[in-house]
Amino acid sequence: MIQIPSDLHPDLVPLAFLLGTWEGAGVSDFPGSEKCNFGQSVTFSHDGRDFIEYVSHSWVLDAEGNKVRPLESESGYWRIDAHRKVEVVMVRDQGIVEVWYGELADKKPQIDIATDAVARTAASGPYSGGKRLYGYVKSDLMWVGEKATPEVPLRPYMSAHLKKVVTPEEVEAMAKSLGDLPDDGIAFFK
């Protein structure tokens, strides 16, 4: 269920489905890099202003699903305008800064963005741009990323399936919103 916080900036209501902390796993595969399964934690938060703050951490997983080492970290800010156009500014731990533009699909919680500008430090690896697709599917957040370098044309390189993390406070609030339920568990269905 998508909840819209009362203090969310009105411009951000179309992006409310992103809010929260999401955790899950995915696959990373790009020429010249290690192919691996990874775990990921992503948080989309807000403070009442007209942007959503984004923070992502991912780590390599071994065959049993245990953390091996960090894979990538990135953070940034997401905005949307009245015409459903989305803009994202993102910084990655590899020494890359990106400006992304795209749009929120009509009548469904799906965002398609592509890089418009990329800046790299001397220490970063080769990278010339990317595309990403985020979708809210059956209460889960799924995404796929494409990447290009001067040597490799744009191609998929990472994807993940994330589930929303529910805090004890959120569970309590949901329970209160249900009101009084019968004690025996059967009367509820009568």
Side-chain angles (χ1 to χ4, degrees):
M1 177 170 72
I2 299 172
Q3 294 182 348
I4 301 173
S6 60
D7 60 341
L8 184 66
H9 191 283
D11 293 354
L12 299 176
V13 169
L15 298 180
F17 71 92
L18 293 172
L19 293 174
T21 297
W22 303 84
E23 293 182 351
V27 177
S28 177
D29 183 14
F30 194 78
S33 299
E34 171 190 13
K35 180 178 180 178
C36 67
N37 292 326
F38 68 90
Q40 184 176 30
S41 178
V42 176
T43 300
F44 290 92
S45 60
H46 73 96
D47 65 6
R49 292 183 281 174
D50 68 342
F51 60 83
I52 290 177
E53 184 176 5
Y54 163 81
V55 177
S56 170
H57 296 283
S58 59
W59 51 90
V60 174
L61 297 174
D62 65 17
E64 289 78 42
N66 300 308
K67 289 183 182 182
V68 175
R69 67 181 173 285
L71 181 62
E72 283 190 356
S73 295
E74 53 189 29
S75 62
Y77 301 93
W78 294 55
R79 287 184 167 83
I80 187 167
D81 70 15
H83 304 288
R84 306 175 71 81
K85 301 298 182 195
V86 176
E87 63 181 41
V88 180
V89 177
M90 194 177 304
V91 177
R92 295 197 202 190
D93 62 353
Q94 299 106 342
I96 297 170
V97 177
E98 301 158 302
V99 175
W100 300 75
Y101 288 105
E103 65 184 330
L104 176 63
D106 190 30
K107 298 182 183 172
K108 61 182 172 180
Q110 178 180 306
I111 300 169
D112 195 0
I113 56 176
T115 53
D116 181 67
V118 174
R120 301 181 305 113
T121 64
S124 73
Y127 176 69
S128 51
K131 289 178 71 175
R132 289 195 188 175
L133 176 64
Y134 291 83
Y136 183 77
V137 181
K138 297 182 180 178
S139 299
D140 293 345
L141 184 63
M142 302 173 87
W143 70 271
V144 62
E146 297 180 52
K147 175 172 142 176
T149 70
E151 299 81 25
V152 180
L154 188 67
R155 60 157 284 178
Y157 82 105
M158 284 181 99
S159 62
H161 184 156
L162 309 172
K163 298 201 172 284
K164 192 163 192 178
V165 176
V166 182
T167 66
E169 295 80 17
E170 290 171 316
V171 171
E172 186 177 324
M174 285 188 272
K176 285 181 181 176
S177 72
L178 293 175
D180 292 329
L181 296 177
D183 292 339
D184 63 8
I186 296 170
F188 177 73
F189 295 101
K190 292 182 180 176

